[in-house]
Amino acid sequence: MERRSLLRAAVLGGTSAALGGTLWRGAAYAAPAQPGTGPYGPLGSPDANGIRLPAGFTSRVIARSGQRVGTTSYTWHNAPDGGACYADGTGWIYVSNSEINPSGGASAVKFSSTGAITAAYRILSSTRQNCAGGKTPWNTWLSCEEVSLGYVYETDPWGANAAAQRAAMGRFKHEAAAADPVRRVIYLTEDETNGRFYRFVPTTWGNLSSGRLQVMVAGGATSGSFTWTDIPDPDGSPTATRSQVSGSKSFNGGEGCHYANDTVWFTTKGDNRVWQLNLLDNTYELAYDDSLVNGTAPLTGVDNITGTSSGDLFVAEDGGNMEICVITPDDVVASFLRIDGQSASEITGPAFSPNGTHLYFSSQRGTTGSSSGGITYEVTGPFRS
């Protein structure tokens, strides 16, 4: 699916705003939406969990840091962050990182076909500040350490196999990962003010123990063509990986990353942007930039990102209005949900169940503003397919 750039046009809370002053690829200008609406309509009043949702959607609390998950004996981790869902027979599993240092790691919750919690357990221990990550096509979870010279760990959502450190994927301040099964690579973001965008090319697809770490090389400020160049020394010492290749493009605080249909999107929190790489022609551009909409955009504090089969992108906010916003294929940007009373937190780990009917995410610090106050939620309702 081709996504039109928001440098061309945007529909933001009822106002249609031209971004960049020109039409993009000759496409027709987007029609304005009704005030406060998107594909799901306006947000309602806060529910019992303090979440504002469109009509037809409901929320429930799945887990709280320091408390047992459902009727299981497992205690949920602090500072829940990046997450993903996996099919498990007729049910599914949601995995979640723990962004604390030391003793970060990751946990998992199992659900039945009806959404009932059936189990919870640890899948990664004794690591540092596990922030985001990514799902592989062979159903493992890549848990990324957001520390200097951090590692990527490959974990088993079912907890049957021991986690493995994947040093070949580079040592830097890792954030998110997204797998591209067509080109057989893994894209990686770096959470530094002058971070880079990488891809890892495994020697054998499905085995991340060896391969080449490459960095994106480009000269344009917000759009242009790009190439990939091998990182000479992926272990990042004594020279950081981001400083090893001349001409590699700098990004201000890489965060979430999502791949679909020959396109990869990633976010940068330092400038509130969503970037789009068009992999068929090796070009890149801005898909969203809130500095170009004069403060009228609902989406601020861009962070984790995920997508749906309909082509919608769901972007979680670190700060902002504590919202998850949706960006549709026809460039509508709208609030999907908002958490009230948790302004000292951030929204993390958005991920859909395999059938697309359940959205999971966390408020990393909840109402307390502390890593021990994390809350993990589930939202169900008539999501677009």
Side-chain angles (χ1 to χ4, degrees):
M1 176 182 295
E2 183 181 81
R3 176 173 293 278
R4 296 196 299 268
S5 169
L6 292 185
L7 284 174
R8 174 188 60 78
V11 179
L12 303 168
T15 60
S16 183
L19 308 182
T22 59
L23 298 182
W24 182 72
R25 296 185 185 175
Y29 202 25
Q34 294 301 311
T37 67
Y40 296 104
L43 303 185
S45 300
D47 65 11
N49 298 316
I51 299 181
R52 297 177 181 265
L53 291 162
F57 289 86
T58 59
S59 76
R60 69 166 171 160
V61 173
I62 296 304
R64 295 180 184 269
S65 297
Q67 298 184 22
R68 291 182 178 181
V69 180
T71 59
T72 75
S73 61
Y74 184 73
T75 301
W76 197 236
H77 55 258
N78 287 347
D81 207 285
C85 281
Y86 299 79
D88 178 50
T90 58
W92 56 88
I93 295 170
Y94 176 66
V95 300
S96 171
N97 280 343
S98 175
E99 195 188 10
I100 59 173
N101 187 8
S103 303
S107 303
V109 182
K110 272 192 176 187
F111 299 88
S112 70
S113 59
T114 63
I117 296 172
T118 61
Y121 46 90
R122 174 69 65 157
I123 62 172
L124 176 65
S125 300
S126 303
T127 53
R128 303 169 298 162
Q129 202 160 322
N130 298 78
C131 196
K135 179 181 179 179
T136 69
W138 49 94
N139 287 324
T140 59
W141 167 244
L142 302 180
S143 183
C144 298
E145 289 184 315
E146 189 196 357
V147 294
S148 179
L149 299 180
Y151 288 103
V152 174
Y153 288 84
E154 187 170 14
T155 68
D156 177 11
W158 286 263
N161 299 308
Q165 186 184 90
R166 297 306 187 195
M169 299 183 77
R171 297 193 66 187
F172 53 88
K173 201 172 183 181
H174 283 277
E175 184 69 36
D180 177 351
V182 176
R183 290 149 202 88
R184 297 189 168 190
V185 301
I186 308 289
Y187 302 103
L188 300 160
T189 57
E190 180 178 26
D191 192 357
E192 299 275 8
T193 56
N194 62 340
R196 299 308 196 255
F197 189 70
Y198 304 90
R199 74 174 188 179
F200 180 66
V201 186
T203 303
T204 302
W205 185 236
N207 183 343
L208 303 179
S209 61
S210 66
R212 293 175 294 143
L213 180 67
Q214 300 181 323
V215 67
M216 178 181 167
V217 175
T222 57
S223 65
S225 60
F226 67 88
T227 58
W228 300 100
T229 298
D230 287 355
I231 295 287
D233 187 12
D235 72 2
S237 179
T239 303
T241 54
R242 62 185 179 279
S243 302
Q244 293 183 23
V245 174
S246 177
S248 60
K249 182 166 178 57
S250 176
F251 293 97
N252 190 352
E255 289 286 339
C257 193
H258 174 69
Y259 168 86
N261 301 318
D262 298 312
T263 306
V264 61
W265 295 271
F266 65 96
T267 63
T268 49
K269 67 181 180 185
D271 46 19
N272 282 318
R273 288 171 166 174
V274 181
W275 298 83
Q276 173 181 320
L277 270 62
N278 307 303
L279 301 170
L280 292 179
D281 61 6
N282 288 334
T283 62
Y284 71 99
E285 60 196 308
L286 285 174
Y288 175 80
D289 183 357
D290 78 347
S291 70
L292 298 179
V293 296
N294 300 318
T296 61
L299 175 58
T300 58
V302 298
D303 203 293
N304 289 174
I305 186 171
T306 192
T308 68
S309 59
S310 68
D312 292 334
L313 297 176
F314 282 74
V315 186
E317 291 185 340
D318 179 351
N321 294 325
M322 281 293 288
E323 293 183 342
I324 294 179
C325 292
V326 59
I327 304 177
T328 71
D330 54 354
D331 295 341
V332 174
V333 181
S335 303
F336 170 71
L337 65 78
R338 181 186 306 153
I339 304 176
D340 279 6
Q342 300 186 29
S343 59
S345 187
E346 63 184 276
I347 297 180
T348 59
F352 283 89
S353 61
N355 60 11
T357 60
H358 297 65
L359 171 64
Y360 296 93
F361 60 93
S362 295
S363 172
Q364 189 181 77
R365 297 178 294 279
T367 59
T368 68
S370 166
S371 62
S372 61
I375 309 171
T376 299
Y377 299 97
E378 172 194 84
V379 165
T380 57
F383 288 104
R384 305 201 305 175
S385 59

